[in-house]
Amino acid sequence: MNTTHTITLKQDYCIPCQFIFPQEFENLIENSSSVKTLKTILGGINLEKYKPKHETRGRKGYEYRPMMESILYAYTLGIYSVRKIEEAMKNDIRFIWLSGGIHPSYKTISEFIKYQIGKNAETIFKELNDVIEAEDDIDVNTIYIDGTKIEANATKFSFVWKKATQKYQEKLMVKMSKDIVELDEFFKECNIGIHYLVKDFYQVDDFIEVFNSLDKIHQNVDSIFTYGKGHRKNEFQKWYETFESYKNKAMEYSEKIRICGNRNSYSKTDHDATMMHGKEDYYNKTGIFKAYYNIQVGVSNEYIRLIGVYQDSNDLRTFKPFMEDYNRLYQHYPIYPVGDAGYGSYENYIYCISNHMELVQKYNTFSQDKEGKEKVRYQVTKEGKMVCPKGHEFIYNRDTESTRYGVYKIVQNYVCTRCKDCPIKSTCTKEKDSKSLAINVVYEEMKQVVQDNLNSDLGIQQRVRRSIEAEGAFGIIKQDWDYRRIHRRGIDNVKLEMFLIAIGFNMKKFHQRMVIRKSKIMN
């Protein structure tokens, strides 16, 4: 007998998805969200003009503006991994609304950043800053400068040292000179009419010339070279392989020195990165050199006005090119380029004066002079004479002229001749015979101007603001965003990455300031 069982559902569990999600994702995003702030700002910029105008074959790519806005918003949130951007564009409602629901792969995003944004990153950064400047209060006459080293995308022990390479090159020259003489004797024994001159230094072409002559002889004679265990090489094969190795080494050393240029080192996996000491030493605390880039920022009213990438570890030598980039971008120099003790030097002060900028960069002993901890080297009497701490007069010796770093300066040299039997000589000087002084009078006057500027009410305020704004920008990028290692290789690609990070930083800062401003108005 067949029995029928009837099951009655007490509740309908069928809930259509269209009743859960609205047709517009914009309704799910709060008006105070940072994505709507970005949409508003970028709405005032014609991003389409940065789109490459060349024709492409094959399938049409993604729309330019949605891709650009999505990538810039990712950097606003501190997302700089293309795989994480790909994931966000698939799952994050803000990215889905901003991009119109497109799902590009990480490779497409990477190629878009490299080829579509590419060299336009600096121009987009400048245009975005112009929009922010029109909407917010920014003191364009004052920038706070600071620098940091960020590790390059290079392997651990990939360093090449210029001095070491030059030493290897010198040893190769000695070997070449010695073996050239023996090769000439071998040619005489074989009745080969080839003779080479012994030189102190050989160019790469000289190594190539010698090897090519041996190779030509090898091809004409059609001699058989032997290899492997149990086979004895003849005399000609030995010379052939010796000068082949010399030629290869000469070309290798020449190429390494060319890549170094004015630097002392580079990395094999990123030729534009320079080996430097960094504050972070996670390689067993050994103080090992690592590949770094020197990143400089100029901040005003918490916004990054300029970001630069340099291969020099010394901030002193980055000041001039950084200011030139600022002038090229904004068509003027800042009146107050405030910097710490890493930027104050005679050359930089001369540069500031010639471009009508105030001397507001600390020199290396500014803090010691202010607190009175700097060791007293000499004193000036009422008569204008310089005397040592014991009261003995310094006698003028000579003037020394210098044009180092392209700036002319005169240094006056003085000598104290009564140091031999002085009871405080051991604490006054470490020189054997007599204490000497080298004084740049112009530089001393500049240092006094710096003291007056930085110890004024405005100068004290600028020093405080510099430590908050410039160092705070790096604190957000390196600590909050956990950006401690560059993703791209090559200085052009690194500059692209830094400008994208600066764009994201400024967008985030603008949104925060707008939220604070609206809350104050409402209260």
Side-chain angles (χ1 to χ4, degrees), residues 449-495:
V449 174
V450 172
Q451 287 188 17
D452 296 339
N453 290 341
L454 293 181
N455 289 328
S456 64
D457 293 338
L458 177 60
I460 294 173
Q461 181 183 0
Q462 289 174 338
R463 280 189 285 153
V464 173
R465 294 303 305 171
R466 193 207 69 84
S467 61
I468 294 173
E469 296 191 19
E471 296 179 14
F474 281 129
I476 293 172
I477 294 172
K478 298 178 72 174
Q479 186 65 34
D480 296 353
W481 291 2
D482 196 26
Y483 184 83
R484 301 177 182 274
R485 184 182 173 96
I486 295 169
H487 287 197
R488 291 169 174 79
R489 292 178 177 175
I491 192 167
D492 291 334
N493 294 326
V494 174
K495 287 180 179 179

Side-chain angles (χ1 to χ4, degrees), residues 157-173:
F157 297 110
S158 61
F159 46 78
V160 174
W161 300 102
K162 185 177 182 179
K163 287 186 178 180
T165 304
Q166 289 174 337
K167 288 182 180 179
Y168 300 149
Q169 192 180 50
E170 291 173 0
K171 292 180 180 179
L172 181 63
M173 300 300 167

Side-chain angles (χ1 to χ4, degrees), residues 251-264:
M251 295 173 66
E252 176 188 341
Y253 297 153
S254 177
E255 179 65 12
K256 287 181 177 180
I257 294 174
R258 184 195 67 81
I259 294 173
C260 279
N262 296 326
R263 299 177 292 162
N264 63 350

